[in-house]
Amino acid sequence: MSCSVFNRTALKKPCFSLKRIGQNRLAMIGRIIIAVVFSLSLSALSLNSVCAEDHPLVRVGVLANQGPEQCLQRWTPLAEYLTVQIPEKKFLIIPLAFADVPTSVGNGDVDFILATSSSYVELERLYGANRIATLKNRVLDRVYTEFGGVLFCRADRKNIRHVKDLKGKTFVAVDEASFGGWIAVWRELKQRGIDPSVDFKKLTFGGTHGAVVYAVQNGKADAGAVRTDTLEKMAAEGKIGLQDFYVLDDHGHGGQNFPLFLSTRLYPEWPMAKVKHTPDNIAEKVAVALIQMPEQSAAATAGKCAGWTIPLDYQPVHECLRELRICPYKDLGKLPVRDVVKKYRSWVLIFVTTFLFLGVFTIVIFRLHQNLRLTHKELEKEVFERKQADDEARKGAVKYRSLFESTPDAIFLATRDGFLDCNTAALKIFGYPAKNEFLTRSVVDLSPHNQADGKESRAAASEYMHKALREGSAFFEWIHKKKDGTLFPTEVMLNKVDFSGKEILQALIRDVSKRKQVEDERESLIVELKNALAQVKTLTGLLPICAQCKKVRDDTGYWNQIENFIRDHTEADFSHSICPDCARKLYPELYDDDT
């Protein structure tokens, strides 16, 4: 896997699709015409299988640092050239993003790889890649086998003229894995005391060299880094004007050996490398074909190069990566255990054997000692816990018996077969003088034949017991029978409990005779009151009555004698008589003063 230095902000380009290969041109004139022309609609699997039958497929992975479309346009003629030179093989170009290069090589998805010098060094160390040729880059009719990086800003940024001026500025580079577009520049920044992760206001990656140039030109970044020849090529294509940019620490432009803008040391150009699984005979043929490629060939022209040369020394790239402590040197200075074992194998074996013997002996003695100590502690703990458990059990039994006996309600423990125990209140409520006699009875013996709802007591009791065992509890009203045959109402609460690993029922029975009596008396009183109220008529409100004759006016406006009005509106009736005072007034002759 590739090592990351900074978080990537550029969007990754889409992966290459084998369907796109069906759109490439046919081989150069003079090549034996391929018997079958593949349709664009064929899947990648069908294309690979057919190619494998006629011409075994050789996949050449190429870093698409300017996007997959330009990569295919630039390097497909190279695949066609190799196919002509090695007719028994069919070569395909596979565009790869920066992050996809290590994965594709490690998984064996490509047979050859063309990538940056730093990518090659990483692939060489991690996956055994081996360079077979170095690219001869053509820039403005001149050939270069070395390149570097360029630090630049806009020409009108007068406050940026030296590398130290970049502190506190926003900076854009191509990609964290781009050697010319970042890594080579990073080395120079570090040697000048600039830590990009701390000293830059913001560090981003544009993804392509062109994107970096435009970001600086449009003011989206204060300065940027691209590989050598980028500014010159874009100016030659009419995309930018060199006068609009200023190159920091330029020590290449105008020189005889390297007339391009240059802000870093020089490093060997991109190498073509074979992947570890690629046969040596195929690699030799490819190397010969590349080195013999004419400078004016179609493949060289499309690739914007002058062909290939023998592989250069990539030690300067190793030194750069080693100084920056990035892959494959991120663990530099740490001696791998594998290397130590390989170098001192005999001594390590003796040491390990001795150590293991002493270790095993020590462990055996230690474990014996520990086992004795643990056994002794476990015995002490077990004795203590058993004693503590016995004490708790005794306390619990005393507490339970105290609660069991102190409650005024009847409590007994029972199974389907009969009673197991009961408290004193149960004997008192059911009228049994001795516990032994009570425990010989059953639920049916303590109940009438039928309950108040008419259900048979035996069936109803069995139903409630099953419910309590199934659901955990059951609450219901019950008619019980005392020893002398007296019936009395009760409320029963059945609970399922665990007793010595066996499920039993605990019954709590409360005599509700007095409460039922009070409830019955209350109901009778309520009935009597309702009956009395039904017979009572009352007069409320104001009665209009004549002050002289004492007649009362009713709701219809008719004046009634007061006795008639009261008789019509109440339950009262009148029997006429005469009081003594009226009798004296009406019949004075019949009364005298002494009567």
Side-chain angles (χ1 to χ4, degrees), residues 60-67 70-72 74-75 78 93-98 101 112-121 123 130-138 144-149 174-175 177-184 207-209 226-230 233 266-274 290-291 303-314 317:
V60 181
V62 179
L63 174 61
N65 60 343
Q66 293 184 344
Q70 292 191 27
C71 177
L72 286 175
R74 182 178 180 183
W75 296 110
L78 173 63
I93 299 298
I94 309 295
L96 298 173
F98 277 104
V101 171
F112 292 90
I113 184 68
L114 175 59
T116 63
S117 303
S118 59
S119 296
Y120 162 70
V121 168
L123 300 175
N130 190 12
R131 63 190 184 277
I132 61 175
T134 296
L135 181 69
K136 295 164 62 178
N137 189 22
R138 184 194 300 274
Y144 302 89
T145 58
E146 294 179 306
F147 75 106
V174 178
D175 190 278
S178 174
F179 190 78
W182 171 239
I183 296 176
T208 64
H209 294 274
V226 293
R227 66 161 280 158
T228 53
D229 75 29
T230 300
K233 286 182 177 179
L266 289 173
Y267 300 92
E269 269 288 0
W270 288 23
M272 176 70 76
K274 85 174 191 69
L290 290 176
I291 294 174
K304 299 178 182 178
C305 66
W308 301 78
T309 185
I310 59 174
L312 300 183
D313 180 14
Y314 285 79
V317 181

Side-chain angles (χ1 to χ4, degrees), residues 428-433 437 441 445-446 480-488:
K428 181 178 180 181
I429 291 174
F430 285 92
Y432 283 86
E437 182 183 1
R441 299 292 186 265
D445 296 332
L446 302 179
H480 273 105
K481 181 174 68 175
K482 297 185 178 183
K483 181 179 179 180
D484 60 6
T486 303
L487 302 180
F488 64 99

Side-chain angles (χ1 to χ4, degrees), residues 162-180:
H162 304 282
V163 175
K164 64 179 181 180
D165 298 332
L166 295 176
K167 289 187 176 182
K169 304 298 190 296
T170 58
F171 195 89
V172 58
V174 178
D175 190 278
E176 59 187 352
S178 174
F179 190 78

